Amino acid sequence: MAARWWRRVLRGLCGAALFLSQLSVLSGRAGSLMTTKLSQPPSTLAKSLTSTSTNAPYFKSLETTEIPPYVTNCPSNGLCSRLPPDCMTCNTNYSCVYGKTATFDCKVKPHVHCVDENNREQENFTINMTCQFCWQLATSDYVCTNSTSCMTVSCPRQRYNATCTVRDHIHCLGNRVFPKMLYCNWTGGYKWSTALALSITLGGFGADRFYLGQWREGLGKLFSFGGLGIWTLIDVLLIGVGYVGPADGSLYI
């Protein structure tokens, strides 16, 4: 009985020793795994930081190297005084006298390169121009939209609202795009000489009215034999002075 009891005690001691050895092995593995896991994030974080720090200047360079749309209209390495107004910014000289030549201090816009008379690149320069607002320029210095819906042959002569834009080589004060009331001035291709010749020769048959696109008046003259000649004479006078014009309201050529 004593021998059996000692065997059980020895088996219990061996099992406890085996359990403790396995527990030490498992704790060593867990420690190694924890150290590896803890050592990995700093490297990953460092990589992310380095990648972010290297990418940030790249995006900045893209923003700074973007070319504005006005640069396409600015000649490169030309005279600064001959640049279009969209390529420069000038200080307004409100002390200038209207109609007189005045000097204005100007500076080129970013990404615009120009030179002076000695072929030296410069940013600040002066230009001379007449002291007047853009809407006060001569009609040859700006281009306006045209209207084909207003009547040019009317009494009084009709006007329309036009949007005018100053030409590139002209300098002026104020807005370069401005509204203006203009007289109707467009043509549909009708010639005054042809209308007058038809009125004199074939006016009794309404040929002049047909040519001008006035079909009702032409039929009236045709079936009334020119109003027995009276209507024909009146149309000769009205077309001659330009009172009767094309039906679409345009001007004669």
Side-chain angles (χ1 to χ4, degrees):
M1 293 294 292
R4 291 181 180 178
W5 183 79
W6 283 109
R7 288 178 183 176
R8 290 179 181 178
V9 173
L10 290 175
R11 288 179 182 177
L13 292 175
C14 291
L18 180 62
F19 174 76
L20 291 175
S21 62
Q22 290 179 354
L23 182 62
S24 63
V25 172
L26 291 175
S27 62
R29 289 182 179 179
S32 62
L33 289 174
M34 290 178 65
T35 53
T36 53
K37 286 183 179 180
L38 290 174
S39 61
Q40 284 178 358
S43 61
T44 308
L45 181 61
K47 288 182 179 180
S48 63
L49 289 175
T50 53
S51 62
T52 305
S53 61
T54 53
N55 288 338
Y58 176 72
F59 289 114
K60 274 188 178 179
S61 63
L62 285 179
E63 292 179 358
T64 54
T65 57
E66 184 179 356
I67 300 177
Y70 60 80
V71 177
T72 56
N73 299 325
C74 303
S76 180
N77 295 327
L79 289 176
C80 295
S81 57
R82 295 185 180 179
L83 286 175
D86 293 337
C87 305
M88 66 179 78
T89 54
C90 299
N91 296 327
T92 305
N93 185 6
Y94 290 107
S95 62
C96 63
V97 180
Y98 172 73
K100 302 295 184 180
T101 303
T103 302
F104 294 82
D105 296 327
C106 302
K107 182 179 180 180
V108 294
K109 290 184 177 180
H111 303 282
V112 177
H113 303 280
C114 62
V115 296
D116 58 5
E117 290 77 4
N118 298 324
N119 203 23
R120 292 178 300 185
E121 187 172 357
Q122 60 178 356
E123 294 184 358
N124 301 312
F125 57 97
T126 58
I127 61 172
N128 297 323
M129 66 178 179
T130 305
C131 180
Q132 59 183 349
F133 287 97
C134 295
W135 58 271
Q136 297 173 323
L137 293 171
T139 55
S140 58
D141 293 335
Y142 54 83
V143 180
C144 299
T145 57
N146 201 355
S147 175
T148 58
S149 60
C150 61
M151 300 291 291
T152 58
V153 182
S154 61
C155 187
R157 191 175 175 185
Q158 291 185 2
R159 294 173 179 259
Y160 70 98
N161 292 319
T163 301
C164 302
T165 305
V166 181
R167 300 183 184 273
D168 289 339
H169 64 282
I170 303 297
H171 297 276
C172 56
L173 301 177
N175 296 327
R176 299 184 61 82
V177 179
F178 53 91
K180 199 165 189 178
M181 291 289 294
L182 299 178
Y183 284 110
C184 299
N185 186 20
W186 63 283
T187 179
Y190 297 95
K191 292 184 178 181
W192 173 82
S193 58
T194 303
L196 183 61
L198 290 174
S199 181
I200 295 173
T201 57
L202 301 174
F205 302 99
D208 51 353
R209 294 284 184 165
F210 286 128
Y211 172 72
L212 296 175
Q214 302 175 6
W215 297 96
R216 294 179 180 177
E217 293 81 354
L219 291 174
K221 291 181 70 175
L222 177 62
F223 291 111
S224 65
F225 299 103
L228 300 178
I230 299 176
W231 194 351
T232 303
L233 294 176
I234 294 175
D235 273 357
V236 171
L237 294 176
L238 294 179
I239 294 175
V241 299
Y243 185 80
V244 174
D248 57 3
S250 64
L251 289 175
Y252 288 114
I253 296 178

